[in-house]
């Protein structure tokens, strides 16, 4: 795929290497958790700083938070609908903010400066576990949204408009989390790899456009994930006009 | 790409790009907890603030609209009153002018009449005086004539 010289030290890229932590019988990827904690800490710091004194005339960080809130509310309201969006706004917002800060953190923070025994820090969303976790949460969310709003009438959705749709709708329940998780994972990991490879080949200037493109992709991926999650939930709570 | 995957997979006994383990459920739990924390710290308070502001704005907007309507009503009211007052003052001025004219005319007429009357009396007075003077002159002339005649006769 890339014209790699044979002498390139592949180990430097650290693809697929993880910092393993043992918890009981289970192993977890330490680097993902460390970077996700940093992401969460950054998020909480901004949120706490901005909401410490909420005023009717917003000042400083409150402006940013209100802008974010309205942006997320517009996504949620557009795709979920006026009636149900309030229940799901925090979930959509958390997905968007977590993915966005993760992606941008992975692209902007010079993680290489922090040495780990194994693996390397990066965007938490560049790990398949994180993206599958998020995608499965979305699946649970839309099932829960549909069932709690419509009860078992939710399953009418599978045979509408005709029962022929049943197999496709069932397959969709599997492809939705699959496409969500792999889209996010693939984009973020590919971006990190391209930047890393280009930085190895030509350390100066050449990676910069790709890094800018990476920032763009990162933001777009966060928006796509949140929008699709909202759309799936909206589809589940949508009342068919009988 | 595949060579990397193979390399990565063979490099460590466990690992690789698609290495699923307990990270997945723990991350899911973490995100759910983060959702609740952000809801309590961010979405609920900021949403309340924004919606309170929106309702405040809409109520003050409607209040301002009401006030504006009231002001407009008052303005038309006052304009009508002003018009009425102007008309009234105009008619008052007209009345006053007519009254003044009338007074002026009557005063002028009476003054003229008086002047005429006094002129008439003065003229008649003068006539009478003249008559008297003429009569006295005549009688004096007669006397003088008599005296002259007597003297002349006496001389003779």
């Amino acid at each position: 795929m890339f014209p790699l010289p044979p002498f390139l030290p592949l180990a430097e890229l650290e693809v697929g290497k993880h910092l393993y932590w043992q918890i009981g019988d289970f192993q977890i990827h330490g680097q993902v958790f460390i970077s996700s904690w940093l992401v969460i800490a950054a998020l909480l710091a901004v949120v706490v700083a901005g909401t410490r004194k909420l005023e009717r005339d917003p000042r400083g960080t409150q402006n940013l938070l209100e802008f974010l809130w309205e942006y997320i509310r517009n996504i949620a309201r557009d795709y979920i609908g006026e009636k149900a969006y309030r229940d799901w706004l925090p979930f959509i917002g958390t997905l968007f903010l977590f993915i966005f800060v993760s992606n941008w953190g992975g692209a902007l923070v010079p993680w290489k400066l922090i040495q780990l025994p194994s693996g390397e820090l990066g965007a938490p969303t560049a790990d398949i576990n994180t993206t599958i976790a998020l995608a499965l949460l979305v699946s649970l969310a839309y099932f829960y949204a549909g069932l709690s709003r419509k009860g078992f009438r939710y399953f009418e959705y599978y045979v509408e408009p005709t029962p022929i749709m049943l197999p496709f709708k069932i397959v969709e329940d599997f492809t939705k989390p699959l496409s969500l998780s792999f889209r996010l994972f693939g984009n973020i990991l590919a971006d990190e790899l391209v930047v890393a490879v280009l930085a190895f080949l030509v350390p100066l200037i050449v990676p910069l456009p790709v890094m800018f493109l990476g920032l763009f992709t990162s933001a777009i991926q966060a928006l796509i994930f949140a929008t699709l999650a909202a759309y799936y939930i909206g589809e589940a709570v949508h009342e068919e006009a009988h | 790409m595949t060579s990397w995957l193979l390399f990565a997979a063979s490099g460590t006994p466990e690992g690789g790009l698609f290495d699923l383990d307990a990270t997945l459920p723990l991350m899911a739990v973490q995100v759910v907890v983060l959702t609740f924390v952000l809801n309590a710290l961010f979405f609920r308070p900021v949403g309340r603030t924004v919606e309170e502001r929106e309702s405040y704005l809409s109520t003050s907007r409607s209040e301002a609209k009401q006030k504006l309507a009231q002001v407009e009503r008052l303005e038309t009211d006052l304009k009508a009153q002003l018009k009425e007052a102007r008309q009234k003052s105009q008619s008052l001025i007209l009345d006053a002018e007519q009254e003044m004219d009338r007074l002026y005319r009557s005063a002028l007429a009476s003054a003229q009449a008086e002047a005429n009357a006094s002129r008439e009396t003065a003229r008649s007075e003068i006539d009478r005086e003249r008559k008297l003077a003429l009569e006295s002159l005549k009688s004096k002339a007669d006397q003088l004539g008599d005296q002259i005649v007597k003297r002349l006769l006496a001389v003779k």
Side-chain angles (χ1 to χ4, degrees):
Chain A
M1 202 166 192
F2 305 109
L4 292 177
F7 54 84
L8 189 75
L10 272 178
E12 294 266 349
L13 277 176
E14 309 252 7
V15 175
K17 279 197 175 180
H18 304 293
L19 172 69
Y20 283 102
W21 287 349
Q22 190 83 29
I23 296 180
D25 286 340
F26 302 107
Q27 289 191 316
I28 60 173
H29 296 170
Q31 88 277 13
V32 176
F33 278 100
I34 293 173
S35 49
S36 74
W37 292 337
L38 292 175
V39 165
I40 291 170
L43 261 179
L44 289 183
V46 172
V47 164
V48 169
T51 55
R52 212 171 25 200
K53 216 175 73 175
L54 287 171
E55 287 172 81
R56 205 170 60 198
D57 304 335
R59 226 178 294 153
T61 323
Q62 196 189 334
N63 281 309
L64 173 70
L65 291 185
E66 286 190 6
F67 166 74
L68 284 175
W69 186 86
E70 281 182 21
Y71 185 72
I72 292 162
R73 178 191 59 177
N74 289 345
I75 294 175
R77 199 167 52 184
D78 288 352
Y79 290 96
I80 300 179
E82 196 67 53
K83 270 187 273 178
Y85 84 91
R86 269 163 213 282
D87 301 337
W88 295 102
L89 189 143
F91 181 60
I92 303 296
T94 307
L95 283 179
F96 176 75
L97 291 176
F98 181 69
I99 295 171
F100 181 75
V101 177
S102 292
N103 293 351
W104 271 43
L108 289 176
V109 180
W111 299 107
K112 288 263 184 204
L113 299 180
I114 305 166
Q115 293 287 331
L116 292 180
S118 168
E120 63 179 11
L121 292 176
T125 38
D127 189 284
I128 189 80
N129 289 289
T130 310
T131 61
I132 290 183
L134 295 173
L136 287 181
L137 283 179
V138 171
S139 292
L140 287 178
Y142 77 72
F143 269 111
Y144 175 75
L147 288 173
S148 68
R149 187 156 279 263
K150 300 202 273 193
F152 282 100
R153 280 201 306 110
Y154 166 64
F155 293 106
E156 286 174 3
Y157 157 75
Y158 285 86
V159 290
E160 265 163 16
T162 71
I164 301 167
M165 294 302 285
L166 182 65
F168 302 105
K169 296 257 169 126
I170 291 172
V171 167
E172 236 182 18
D173 279 334
F174 293 97
T175 55
K176 276 172 183 173
L178 199 71
S179 66
L180 271 182
S181 57
F182 274 80
R183 181 185 307 112
L184 182 58
F185 166 68
N187 272 289
I188 303 309
L189 184 76
D191 175 52
E192 285 192 355
L193 288 182
V194 167
V195 171
V197 168
L198 274 182
F200 269 125
L201 295 177
V202 195
L204 286 175
I205 301 177
V206 175
L208 276 178
V210 184
M211 288 164 99
F212 275 115
L213 186 70
L215 285 181
F216 182 66
T217 321
S218 300
I220 291 287
Q221 287 307 317
L223 178 62
I224 287 176
F225 200 100
T227 306
L228 281 177
Y231 175 74
Y232 294 155
I233 292 171
E235 207 178 35
V237 300
H238 177 68
E239 291 284 358
E240 204 72 47
H242 287 294
Chain B
M1 198 78 182
T2 35
S3 64
W4 292 1
L5 290 181
L6 289 176
F7 178 84
S10 61
T12 46
E14 318 157 83
L17 281 177
F18 300 99
D19 177 36
L20 296 175
D21 55 15
T23 310
L24 197 161
L26 278 179
M27 185 57 82
V29 170
Q30 192 170 282
V31 171
V32 170
V33 171
L34 181 67
T35 303
F36 283 101
V37 172
L38 280 185
N39 187 30
L41 288 181
F42 175 26
F43 296 110
R44 211 143 13 101
V46 171
R48 197 171 339 116
T49 312
V50 171
E51 274 163 5
E52 267 171 17
R53 181 183 311 122
E54 277 169 2
S55 68
Y56 167 75
L57 283 181
S58 67
T59 53
S60 44
R61 220 177 122 92
S62 63
E63 265 172 29
K65 256 186 194 158
Q66 275 179 0
K67 273 183 188 154
L68 189 68
Q70 206 176 353
V71 163
E72 269 165 3
R73 214 170 48 234
L74 279 176
E75 201 187 356
T76 49
D77 225 41
L78 287 176
K79 261 188 188 154
Q81 280 185 19
L82 193 66
K83 208 171 156 191
E84 208 178 319
R86 254 199 206 128
Q87 279 174 345
K88 217 178 264 177
S89 71
Q90 210 77 36
S91 67
L92 270 179
I93 288 171
L94 209 67
D95 280 358
E97 270 175 354
Q98 282 173 348
E99 176 80 14
M100 203 183 73
D101 204 42
R102 202 173 53 72
L103 283 176
Y104 170 73
R105 272 170 209 281
S106 69
L108 193 67
S110 68
Q112 256 169 355
E114 205 172 320
N116 280 347
S118 64
R119 202 168 54 201
E120 283 305 309
T121 48
R123 193 182 287 150
S124 60
E125 184 89 346
I126 287 168
D127 279 355
R128 203 170 50 81
E129 295 268 318
R130 194 166 56 194
K131 242 177 231 165
L132 277 179
L134 277 178
E135 274 172 18
S136 73
L137 267 178
K138 217 182 233 172
S139 65
K140 268 195 182 149
D142 283 352
Q143 273 177 359
L144 279 177
D146 283 351
Q147 278 180 353
I148 291 167
V149 168
K150 270 175 196 169
R151 286 243 180 105
L152 284 177
L153 287 178
V155 169
K156 256 185 201 177

